[in-house]
Amino acid sequence: MELGEFFKILFYGLRFDSFSIAASNSLYILLFLLPFPFYYSKQYQNLLKTIFVLINAFFVMLNFIDFAYFPFNQRRSTIQLFKFIFGNQINILELIPHFIEEYWYIIILYLFIIWLLYKYYELTLNKLKPKIYSYSFNNIGIYVSIFILFNSLTILGIRGGWQKIPIVLLDAAQYTKQQYIPIVLNTPFSLLKSTELSEMKPLNLIPNEKADTYFSPIHKAEISTFKNINVCVIILESFSKEFTNIGNRKSYTPFLDSLMRKSLVFTNAYANGKTSMDGIPSILASLPPLMQNPYINSAYSNNKIETLANLLKTKGYHTTFFHGGTNGTMNFNSFAEIAGFENYYGRTEYNNENDYDGQWGIWDDAFLRKVPGVISTNKEPFFASIFTLSSHNPYLVPDNFKGRFPKGNQDILESLGYTDYSLSVFFNECKKQPWYNNTLFVITSDHSAESYDEFYSNVIGQYSIPIIIFKNDELNGKSNKTVQQIDILPTILDYLNYDKSYYAFGQSMFSLEKKPAIWFISPNYYVQQDSLLYIYNSQYFLEAYNVVQDSLLTKNIFGKNKKRDNEILNFTQSFIQRYINDMINNKTHCK
């Protein structure tokens, strides 16, 4: 690391340090600012001193613990550390002598720092001179103003700034490379923020040796000639399969339908989650959301991961994440940083508030019209990820487009038609670019929309989305193979003949091997393969349905074919066990 980079990291780390100082000392600050005569009493000053020293001793201790612990897990400790120590996962009393012997120098340094903290407080306390309070109208106004001002600054420090959403773990990715994120963060910040998140417990459902025979996220390198083809992944907000021509209902997407006729279309495709924050990591990093919190907001959001952006970057690709939303929306810009994108292009970079929709960001037609030109300013090969916006609640369309698209019986349908039109604008602009014929386009949805349809509102229909692969008429046809969002990354790498090992939970859609799609709706997992849907509760299958013969899931057929049930159970347990344990241990990568 260069010296300039190091000082830059320290500077940006002050934002996270401010949170920790403000949050940990909030009680002390509140009591310190009380404008009452008893403030100068010896008893009250001793109380303040005790609170200050004890609280800061505790939070400073957390950083010292990480001096020893960080080399083992390569990230700042979270609340999981305390659950590990005090949750009967280890015998801490037996280990204390070993820790003292191994890390005696850290303990001595810590005690010295706390002694200095105590002596400094004593020094300032000795300089404190009592004052006689005069409760005049003017003085009361001054006292109240000071009280409000400094407590407001404390709250601002806890929020991490003026932004709409309070600072979170993932925000550290905005300021440095993934490997330096622990320097930007501090352990009290990581611990306090992780208490807002649900952490997972290690699983041991199936022996690891057996589990590896059913599933492994490690895709081994194959010797092949890599294709330097541009890649563009388009993620359409809330585009359910139901509303397209492959949904066997009325279609509201005429342009997308026309594109499907000259593309490879997967008609049995599933989202891995139900929110945009679930869909983006599933598509770009092949990480399904199999936990309570979306990966982007989880305790594991700063894990080292492998994504389309950082994998293709090793092949010389220029990478950009496009999203017309207000920068900071759902932390997508922070995820783009940690995912390895070189550039983020959002509402700020678009830089024309005349096209602001007044809610989320830039209108889709304006934003998508401009994106191809922005892409053309970069060298090839490139990888671009484009996430649309306007078909998000409250489902607005620009005034000059009102009445142009069918409204149907749902609020979203008009905005779907508008975004579909905007997609046609995008492709018309792409055709003018020299790179168009050398670009692989993958089109999918982040998740499905709300539905009133009896099938598309059930547990399987709600996850049904389109996945389309287009390369200027090179790929054609339909496949009813069960696929999912996490398969997109391996599929793209397979098509490009990627010749290095990588980590991904999906498999190539071009593979002849069949594997189930999996999604999580707390507290159960849903496992879909071909005509079968299984419901799993973290230990065993509860139910099974033939979704072709019984699309409304009324007849439980679990146990009819025990051999098949057992095979899928072994795969499911292996998949979930590997996911959870690798997340906990920060092993979501090959190297």
Side-chain angles (χ1 to χ4, degrees), residues 542-573:
L542 300 171
E543 304 166 34
Y545 299 94
N546 186 315
V547 297
V548 174
Q549 300 173 2
D550 178 24
S551 64
L552 300 183
L553 314 182
T554 60
K555 186 178 179 181
N556 183 2
I557 61 169
F558 179 67
K560 299 291 185 181
N561 187 329
K562 292 185 179 180
K563 181 179 179 182
R564 178 192 62 200
D565 294 347
N566 192 56
E567 284 291 309
I568 297 180
L569 177 63
N570 285 331
F571 173 87
T572 301
Q573 292 182 328

Short mmCIF file of all heavy atoms in Angstrom, two decimals, residues 542-573:
data_model
loop_
_atom_site.label_atom_id
_atom_site.label_comp_id
_atom_site.label_asym_id
_atom_site.label_seq_id
_atom_site.Cartn_x
_atom_site.Cartn_y
_atom_site.Cartn_z
N LEU A 542 -40.58 -30.91 4.50
CA LEU A 542 -41.92 -30.90 5.07
C LEU A 542 -42.97 -31.37 4.06
O LEU A 542 -43.88 -32.13 4.40
CB LEU A 542 -42.29 -29.49 5.55
CG LEU A 542 -41.40 -28.88 6.63
CD1 LEU A 542 -41.76 -27.41 6.81
CD2 LEU A 542 -41.55 -29.63 7.94
N GLU A 543 -42.81 -30.88 2.81
CA GLU A 543 -43.81 -31.15 1.79
C GLU A 543 -43.12 -31.23 0.43
O GLU A 543 -41.98 -30.77 0.26
CB GLU A 543 -44.86 -30.01 1.74
CG GLU A 543 -45.56 -29.75 3.06
CD GLU A 543 -46.32 -28.43 3.05
OE1 GLU A 543 -46.85 -28.05 1.98
OE2 GLU A 543 -46.38 -27.77 4.11
N ALA A 544 -43.83 -31.78 -0.54
CA ALA A 544 -43.37 -31.80 -1.93
C ALA A 544 -44.58 -31.76 -2.85
O ALA A 544 -45.64 -32.32 -2.52
CB ALA A 544 -42.54 -33.06 -2.21
N TYR A 545 -44.42 -31.08 -3.99
CA TYR A 545 -45.54 -30.93 -4.93
C TYR A 545 -45.04 -31.10 -6.36
O TYR A 545 -43.90 -30.73 -6.68
CB TYR A 545 -46.18 -29.55 -4.79
CG TYR A 545 -46.75 -29.29 -3.42
CD1 TYR A 545 -45.99 -28.63 -2.45
CD2 TYR A 545 -48.04 -29.71 -3.08
CE1 TYR A 545 -46.49 -28.40 -1.18
CE2 TYR A 545 -48.56 -29.48 -1.82
CZ TYR A 545 -47.78 -28.84 -0.86
OH TYR A 545 -48.28 -28.62 0.39
N ASN A 546 -45.89 -31.64 -7.20
CA ASN A 546 -45.63 -31.67 -8.63
C ASN A 546 -46.30 -30.42 -9.22
O ASN A 546 -47.52 -30.37 -9.37
CB ASN A 546 -46.21 -32.94 -9.26
CG ASN A 546 -45.84 -33.06 -10.73
OD1 ASN A 546 -45.92 -32.11 -11.50
ND2 ASN A 546 -45.43 -34.27 -11.13
N VAL A 547 -45.48 -29.41 -9.54
CA VAL A 547 -46.05 -28.12 -9.92
C VAL A 547 -46.62 -28.13 -11.33
O VAL A 547 -47.38 -27.22 -11.69
CB VAL A 547 -44.99 -27.01 -9.79
CG1 VAL A 547 -44.55 -26.85 -8.35
CG2 VAL A 547 -43.78 -27.28 -10.68
N VAL A 548 -46.28 -29.13 -12.14
CA VAL A 548 -46.87 -29.23 -13.48
C VAL A 548 -48.29 -29.76 -13.37
O VAL A 548 -49.23 -29.22 -13.98
CB VAL A 548 -46.00 -30.13 -14.38
CG1 VAL A 548 -46.70 -30.35 -15.72
CG2 VAL A 548 -44.62 -29.52 -14.58
N GLN A 549 -48.47 -30.80 -12.60
CA GLN A 549 -49.80 -31.40 -12.44
C GLN A 549 -50.64 -30.69 -11.38
O GLN A 549 -51.87 -30.78 -11.39
CB GLN A 549 -49.65 -32.88 -12.06
CG GLN A 549 -48.92 -33.71 -13.10
CD GLN A 549 -48.64 -35.12 -12.62
OE1 GLN A 549 -49.04 -35.50 -11.52
NE2 GLN A 549 -47.97 -35.91 -13.45
N ASP A 550 -49.96 -29.96 -10.47
CA ASP A 550 -50.65 -29.36 -9.34
C ASP A 550 -50.07 -27.96 -9.10
O ASP A 550 -49.37 -27.71 -8.12
CB ASP A 550 -50.47 -30.25 -8.10
CG ASP A 550 -51.10 -29.70 -6.84
OD1 ASP A 550 -52.04 -28.90 -6.96
OD2 ASP A 550 -50.63 -30.06 -5.74
N SER A 551 -50.35 -27.04 -10.02
CA SER A 551 -49.72 -25.72 -9.98
C SER A 551 -50.14 -24.89 -8.77
O SER A 551 -49.45 -23.95 -8.39
CB SER A 551 -50.04 -24.94 -11.26
OG SER A 551 -51.43 -24.70 -11.36
N LEU A 552 -51.26 -25.23 -8.15
CA LEU A 552 -51.72 -24.48 -6.99
C LEU A 552 -51.28 -25.12 -5.68
O LEU A 552 -51.67 -24.68 -4.59
CB LEU A 552 -53.25 -24.34 -7.02
CG LEU A 552 -53.81 -23.60 -8.25
CD1 LEU A 552 -55.32 -23.47 -8.14
CD2 LEU A 552 -53.16 -22.23 -8.40
N LEU A 553 -50.47 -26.18 -5.78
CA LEU A 553 -49.84 -26.80 -4.62
C LEU A 553 -50.86 -27.27 -3.59
O LEU A 553 -50.84 -26.89 -2.42
CB LEU A 553 -48.84 -25.83 -3.97
CG LEU A 553 -47.90 -25.07 -4.91
CD1 LEU A 553 -46.95 -24.18 -4.12
CD2 LEU A 553 -47.12 -26.03 -5.80
N THR A 554 -51.71 -28.15 -4.01
CA THR A 554 -52.77 -28.65 -3.13
C THR A 554 -52.55 -30.09 -2.67
O THR A 554 -53.16 -30.53 -1.70
CB THR A 554 -54.14 -28.57 -3.84
OG1 THR A 554 -54.11 -29.38 -5.03
CG2 THR A 554 -54.48 -27.14 -4.20
N LYS A 555 -51.68 -30.84 -3.38
CA LYS A 555 -51.52 -32.27 -3.08
C LYS A 555 -50.07 -32.57 -2.71
O LYS A 555 -49.18 -32.58 -3.55
CB LYS A 555 -51.94 -33.11 -4.30
CG LYS A 555 -51.94 -34.61 -4.03
CD LYS A 555 -52.40 -35.38 -5.26
CE LYS A 555 -52.38 -36.89 -5.00
NZ LYS A 555 -52.81 -37.66 -6.20
N ASN A 556 -49.85 -32.83 -1.44
CA ASN A 556 -48.51 -33.14 -0.94
C ASN A 556 -48.11 -34.55 -1.37
O ASN A 556 -48.77 -35.52 -0.99
CB ASN A 556 -48.49 -33.02 0.58
CG ASN A 556 -47.10 -33.24 1.18
OD1 ASN A 556 -46.13 -33.46 0.47
ND2 ASN A 556 -47.04 -33.17 2.49
N ILE A 557 -47.01 -34.67 -2.15
CA ILE A 557 -46.58 -35.99 -2.64
C ILE A 557 -45.27 -36.42 -1.99
O ILE A 557 -44.62 -37.37 -2.46
CB ILE A 557 -46.44 -35.99 -4.18
CG1 ILE A 557 -45.38 -34.98 -4.63
CG2 ILE A 557 -47.77 -35.73 -4.84
CD1 ILE A 557 -44.99 -35.12 -6.10
N PHE A 558 -44.84 -35.73 -0.94
CA PHE A 558 -43.58 -36.11 -0.31
C PHE A 558 -43.66 -37.54 0.21
O PHE A 558 -44.63 -37.95 0.84
CB PHE A 558 -43.25 -35.16 0.85
CG PHE A 558 -41.98 -35.52 1.55
CD1 PHE A 558 -40.76 -35.40 0.91
CD2 PHE A 558 -41.99 -36.02 2.85
CE1 PHE A 558 -39.58 -35.75 1.55
CE2 PHE A 558 -40.83 -36.38 3.50
CZ PHE A 558 -39.61 -36.23 2.84
N GLY A 559 -42.60 -38.30 -0.05
CA GLY A 559 -42.53 -39.69 0.38
C GLY A 559 -42.95 -40.69 -0.68
O GLY A 559 -42.76 -41.90 -0.49
N LYS A 560 -43.45 -40.22 -1.82
CA LYS A 560 -43.87 -41.12 -2.89
C LYS A 560 -42.67 -41.77 -3.58
O LYS A 560 -42.76 -42.88 -4.10
CB LYS A 560 -44.71 -40.37 -3.92
CG LYS A 560 -46.00 -39.77 -3.38
CD LYS A 560 -47.01 -40.83 -3.01
CE LYS A 560 -48.34 -40.21 -2.59
NZ LYS A 560 -49.34 -41.22 -2.21
N ASN A 561 -41.55 -41.02 -3.62
CA ASN A 561 -40.33 -41.54 -4.24
C ASN A 561 -39.17 -41.24 -3.29
O ASN A 561 -38.52 -40.21 -3.38
CB ASN A 561 -40.10 -40.89 -5.60
CG ASN A 561 -38.94 -41.52 -6.37
OD1 ASN A 561 -37.98 -42.01 -5.77
ND2 ASN A 561 -39.03 -41.50 -7.68
N LYS A 562 -38.92 -42.15 -2.36
CA LYS A 562 -37.97 -41.90 -1.28
C LYS A 562 -36.53 -41.75 -1.77
O LYS A 562 -35.76 -40.96 -1.22
CB LYS A 562 -38.06 -43.02 -0.24
CG LYS A 562 -39.39 -43.02 0.52
CD LYS A 562 -39.41 -44.07 1.62
CE LYS A 562 -40.73 -44.02 2.39
NZ LYS A 562 -40.79 -45.03 3.47
N LYS A 563 -36.16 -42.49 -2.81
CA LYS A 563 -34.80 -42.37 -3.34
C LYS A 563 -34.56 -40.98 -3.91
O LYS A 563 -33.54 -40.34 -3.64
CB LYS A 563 -34.57 -43.43 -4.42
CG LYS A 563 -33.15 -43.39 -5.02
CD LYS A 563 -32.96 -44.46 -6.07
CE LYS A 563 -31.55 -44.38 -6.66
NZ LYS A 563 -31.34 -45.40 -7.73
N ARG A 564 -35.51 -40.50 -4.70
CA ARG A 564 -35.40 -39.16 -5.28
C ARG A 564 -35.42 -38.10 -4.18
O ARG A 564 -34.62 -37.15 -4.18
CB ARG A 564 -36.54 -38.92 -6.25
CG ARG A 564 -36.58 -37.53 -6.90
CD ARG A 564 -37.90 -37.33 -7.60
NE ARG A 564 -39.01 -37.40 -6.64
CZ ARG A 564 -40.27 -37.64 -6.99
NH1 ARG A 564 -40.59 -37.87 -8.25
NH2 ARG A 564 -41.23 -37.67 -6.07
N ASP A 565 -36.32 -38.28 -3.21
CA ASP A 565 -36.41 -37.32 -2.11
C ASP A 565 -35.08 -37.23 -1.36
O ASP A 565 -34.63 -36.14 -0.99
CB ASP A 565 -37.51 -37.73 -1.13
CG ASP A 565 -38.90 -37.66 -1.75
OD1 ASP A 565 -39.03 -37.06 -2.84
OD2 ASP A 565 -39.84 -38.21 -1.15
N ASN A 566 -34.46 -38.37 -1.13
CA ASN A 566 -33.21 -38.41 -0.37
C ASN A 566 -32.07 -37.74 -1.13
O ASN A 566 -31.23 -37.04 -0.55
CB ASN A 566 -32.85 -39.86 -0.03
CG ASN A 566 -31.73 -39.95 0.98
OD1 ASN A 566 -31.84 -39.38 2.08
ND2 ASN A 566 -30.66 -40.64 0.64
N GLU A 567 -32.04 -37.94 -2.46
CA GLU A 567 -30.99 -37.30 -3.28
C GLU A 567 -31.11 -35.78 -3.21
O GLU A 567 -30.11 -35.07 -3.04
CB GLU A 567 -31.12 -37.77 -4.74
CG GLU A 567 -30.62 -39.17 -4.99
CD GLU A 567 -29.11 -39.28 -4.85
OE1 GLU A 567 -28.41 -38.46 -5.49
OE2 GLU A 567 -28.64 -40.16 -4.11
N ILE A 568 -32.32 -35.28 -3.36
CA ILE A 568 -32.52 -33.82 -3.33
C ILE A 568 -32.29 -33.28 -1.92
O ILE A 568 -31.77 -32.17 -1.74
CB ILE A 568 -33.91 -33.46 -3.87
CG1 ILE A 568 -34.02 -33.88 -5.34
CG2 ILE A 568 -34.18 -31.96 -3.74
CD1 ILE A 568 -35.36 -33.58 -5.99
N LEU A 569 -32.62 -34.06 -0.90
CA LEU A 569 -32.37 -33.64 0.47
C LEU A 569 -30.87 -33.51 0.72
O LEU A 569 -30.41 -32.52 1.32
CB LEU A 569 -32.96 -34.64 1.45
CG LEU A 569 -32.69 -34.36 2.94
CD1 LEU A 569 -33.33 -33.03 3.35
CD2 LEU A 569 -33.21 -35.50 3.81
N ASN A 570 -30.09 -34.48 0.25
CA ASN A 570 -28.63 -34.41 0.42
C ASN A 570 -28.05 -33.18 -0.27
O ASN A 570 -27.18 -32.50 0.27
CB ASN A 570 -27.97 -35.68 -0.11
CG ASN A 570 -28.15 -36.86 0.81
OD1 ASN A 570 -28.27 -36.71 2.03
ND2 ASN A 570 -28.20 -38.06 0.24
N PHE A 571 -28.55 -32.89 -1.47
CA PHE A 571 -28.08 -31.71 -2.19
C PHE A 571 -28.45 -30.44 -1.41
O PHE A 571 -27.63 -29.53 -1.23
CB PHE A 571 -28.67 -31.64 -3.59
CG PHE A 571 -28.35 -30.36 -4.31
CD1 PHE A 571 -27.18 -30.24 -5.03
CD2 PHE A 571 -29.21 -29.26 -4.23
CE1 PHE A 571 -26.86 -29.05 -5.66
CE2 PHE A 571 -28.91 -28.07 -4.85
CZ PHE A 571 -27.73 -27.97 -5.59
N THR A 572 -29.70 -30.37 -0.96
CA THR A 572 -30.18 -29.19 -0.25
C THR A 572 -29.38 -28.93 1.01
O THR A 572 -28.94 -27.79 1.28
CB THR A 572 -31.68 -29.35 0.10
OG1 THR A 572 -32.42 -29.55 -1.11
CG2 THR A 572 -32.20 -28.14 0.84
N GLN A 573 -29.16 -29.97 1.80
CA GLN A 573 -28.38 -29.80 3.03
C GLN A 573 -26.94 -29.42 2.74
O GLN A 573 -26.36 -28.57 3.44
CB GLN A 573 -28.45 -31.09 3.86
CG GLN A 573 -29.82 -31.37 4.44
CD GLN A 573 -29.85 -32.62 5.29
OE1 GLN A 573 -29.11 -33.58 5.05
NE2 GLN A 573 -30.72 -32.63 6.29
#
